Amino acid sequence: QGFAEAPEELTLQTVVGLQNRGGTYMGSGRGSFDLDKTIAFLKQYRINQLYVVGGDGTHRAANKIADEARRLKLNIAVCGVPKTIDNDIDLLDRSFGFNTAVAEAQKAITSAQTEAKCN
């Protein structure tokens, strides 16, 4: 999907309380992305640092962005932050997101077992 809108400056006013809201503030995507559109966005707004948060697919896309920036001789650093409930990122024992997913699944299983015993 790439980037569609202008970047937003994250200030104290825009981020206060985000941890208590569900969903994603910055947006998310599943599947493919438009590399040319992404590079054009980064160039247009003179972005020289890109942080990506996600799993193995997100990091593969980030690698493509970094490779293209390097090929075009753009001064753009791409930093990947692992976060996945699948725990499918090589070289990591666990990423944040995984433990939360396991804990929530355990709660659901425990609740289901309790309900099953009550009937």
Side-chain angles (χ1 to χ4, degrees), residues 1-5 7 31-52 58 60-69 72 74 76-78:
Q1 284 95 352
F3 300 91
E5 300 174 17
S32 64
F33 77 106
D34 187 327
L35 180 60
D36 293 332
K37 187 175 177 181
T38 301
I39 292 293
F41 180 93
L42 296 170
K43 286 170 59 175
Q44 177 183 354
Y45 292 103
R46 297 181 180 179
I47 294 171
N48 61 10
Q49 295 180 19
L50 176 64
Y51 297 88
V52 296
T58 301
R60 279 194 298 275
N63 194 54
K64 289 179 182 179
I65 295 167
D67 287 345
E68 183 67 1
L72 296 172
L74 300 174
I76 300 173
V78 180

